[in-house]
Amino acid sequence: MTRPSDVPQELRDELTATGLDLDHVWDVLRRALSEDLPDHRADDPTSSSTIPPDARGEAVFAAREPGVVAGLGVAAVAFVMVGADATISDRLPDGTRVERGDVVMRVAGLTQRLLVAERTALNLACHLSGIASATARWVEALDGSPTRVLDTRKTLPGLRALQKYAVRCGGGVNHRTSLQDMAMVKDNHVIAAGGALPALEAIRGRHPGLPVEVEVTTLDQLEELLALPGPPERILLDNMSDELMTEAVRRTAGRVPLEASGGITLERAGRIGATGVDFVSVGALTHSVVVFDIGMDLVDGPGTSA
């Protein structure tokens, strides 16, 4: 395998500009490829037996359904990693809306190595495009309202940075990436601390300046927080009806951003947006995503010898 320094500078700069860390992307790809080639001293027996090692070909990545693509830059790195001597062309920017049949990327290089990286590249591109497409559906459903769709920490272990990147590609907004980005007082913390207010006070005493979000389930709890000289930086309205959320927005009057969570479905998006809440958090964007269908097909067979 090659090294991160072998990734073309333009692609490295692009990943950095999108908030992705090349070393992290490299590690994800390395672990994924090791699942296909657990013995790093050996190669793919199918490709190595049927295709000359110096044969070159071109593969086309095409969308098989409408949606939003993401992770194509990550997929491109996979071909660098396996030493495909690849040239990437016609790659659409992540976040592009596509239709069925659209070409999203072309890869030319050593055919054997293209096929070694194929599944890893597709697994990540299809997964991340699925997240971006699902997020875009939420953005569209909330269009015309003040409500923005948020992701959560309900992500696949080890893939959080990539999944949250895909949410951004779909037009969504990232919630906290880690426990340390924002304190979030939920029901278990309330029970353990003896109440929401003691929990809020303890966090601010120990971590001054750290944003705090507090969960409420009733309007009385909301009023209690709003009455504080320094209310939390965000309030989570948990499992509230549309009517209760509308009243919560009226009572808050813009003093604190409000986030809706719990029992959230895409069919309900329009009604949630109509309540006027600032955010709606949707765990399903990342924990229950349906992959987006992208295919990779060789256009010239095994290719010609170099």
Side-chain angles (χ1 to χ4, degrees):
M1 287 187 183
T2 55
R3 298 168 296 178
S5 58
D6 295 313
V7 176
Q9 187 63 49
E10 183 179 2
L11 181 53
R12 292 159 64 184
D13 292 343
E14 177 188 326
L15 293 173
T16 300
T18 60
L20 292 177
D21 179 72
L22 176 59
D23 288 337
H24 175 68
V25 170
W26 192 266
D27 184 58
V28 169
L29 289 167
R30 179 188 56 77
R31 287 185 285 111
L33 283 164
S34 70
E35 293 174 337
D36 276 336
L37 298 176
D39 182 355
H40 64 86
R41 296 164 300 180
D43 213 329
D44 166 25
T46 309
S47 296
S48 62
S49 299
T50 58
I51 303 168
D54 57 351
R56 301 184 71 86
E58 180 182 78
V60 173
F61 282 68
R64 292 175 175 171
E65 60 181 318
V68 175
V69 291
L72 296 178
V74 174
V77 176
F79 294 103
V80 176
M81 176 173 282
V82 299
D85 189 25
T87 300
I88 310 294
S89 61
D90 296 337
R91 178 165 62 89
L92 296 181
D94 286 350
T96 300
R97 286 185 176 272
V98 297
E99 298 297 329
R100 176 184 173 89
D102 286 352
V103 172
V104 301
M105 182 169 71
R106 297 179 191 270
V107 185
L110 294 168
T111 307
Q112 269 194 30
R113 308 312 294 171
L114 295 182
L115 296 182
V116 166
E118 175 185 8
R119 180 45 50 198
T120 292
L122 282 174
N123 280 349
L124 285 166
C126 291
H127 179 68
L128 298 181
S129 296
I131 293 172
S133 297
T135 304
R137 287 191 288 272
W138 270 93
V139 171
E140 182 178 358
L142 292 168
D143 187 40
S145 78
T147 309
R148 304 288 304 277
V149 63
L150 291 170
D151 55 24
T152 70
R153 288 187 301 114
K154 296 176 182 178
T155 54
L156 296 179
L159 290 183
R160 180 171 295 168
L162 290 175
Q163 289 187 308
K164 283 181 172 283
Y165 164 67
V167 168
R168 299 195 299 273
C169 289
V173 179
N174 293 150
H175 207 309
R176 60 180 183 165
T177 299
S178 75
L179 293 170
Q180 297 172 336
D181 296 336
M182 170 190 283
M184 194 166 178
V185 179
K186 303 195 75 175
D187 51 357
N188 285 332
H189 302 100
V190 171
I191 293 171
L197 297 186
L200 177 60
E201 181 179 353
I203 293 168
R204 286 187 165 163
R206 187 165 184 174
H207 300 280
L210 182 69
V212 183
E213 181 170 9
V214 179
E215 175 185 282
V216 301
T217 57
T218 68
L219 293 176
D220 287 343
Q221 293 171 339
L222 173 68
E223 292 282 10
E224 189 175 27
L225 292 174
L226 294 175
L228 294 172
E233 281 70 25
R234 187 181 298 175
I235 296 175
L236 176 70
L237 308 178
D238 184 51
N239 281 295
M240 284 192 177
S241 66
D242 301 336
E243 293 75 20
L244 280 179
M245 282 195 283
T246 300
E247 179 60 17
V249 170
R250 187 190 70 80
R251 295 189 187 190
T252 303
R255 287 175 285 171
V256 179
L258 298 178
E259 173 189 337
S261 182
I264 305 298
T265 62
L266 184 59
E267 291 72 25
R268 193 183 169 196
R271 301 197 306 275
I272 293 173
T275 69
V277 295
D278 300 277
F279 302 104
V280 54
S281 54
V282 182
L285 294 180
T286 51
H287 71 57
S288 300
V289 66
V290 176
V291 298
F292 180 77
D293 194 1
I294 299 174
M296 173 182 145
D297 296 297
L298 287 175
V299 296
D300 294 323
T304 58
S305 297

